[in-house]
Amino acid sequence: EKGQGIPARIDFVEHLGDHQVVYADLLHKGQRIIAKVPMTHRFDCDDGEIGIALPPAWCHLFDRDGQACRASA
């Protein structure tokens, strides 16, 4: 939702039945986020700027080489 979370712009959305994969560019960060989202939250490339907010436990982070980053204790 615009105005909440990290500002991003949707680049591409794959609708895959019961879920969708949203590819978005984080504004002012120069980085991309890819999220698997249930179809209860519909997204489209025409949505413009959105806000991304999610629980840290749901996040899986990867470095530039595609290797998973380990969580620190």
Side-chain angles (χ1 to χ4, degrees):
E1 190 171 317
K2 189 173 181 176
Q4 298 179 1
I6 301 168
R9 184 169 314 279
I10 295 176
D11 182 47
F12 185 73
V13 180
E14 291 181 89
H15 298 281
L16 301 171
D18 66 338
H19 70 277
Q20 58 197 321
V21 179
V22 178
Y23 299 81
D25 296 315
L26 301 180
L27 302 180
H28 315 295
K29 302 291 182 193
Q31 296 184 2
R32 169 164 282 210
I33 187 169
I34 302 170
K36 179 181 173 184
V37 182
M39 293 303 284
T40 54
H41 303 287
R42 295 287 300 200
F43 291 99
D44 194 283
C45 292
D46 296 331
D47 288 341
E49 185 179 321
I50 62 168
I52 298 176
L54 45 118
W58 293 5
C59 297
H60 301 280
L61 303 176
F62 300 87
D63 66 17
R64 291 178 188 240
D65 297 323
Q67 299 298 312
C69 298
R70 292 179 172 242
S72 59

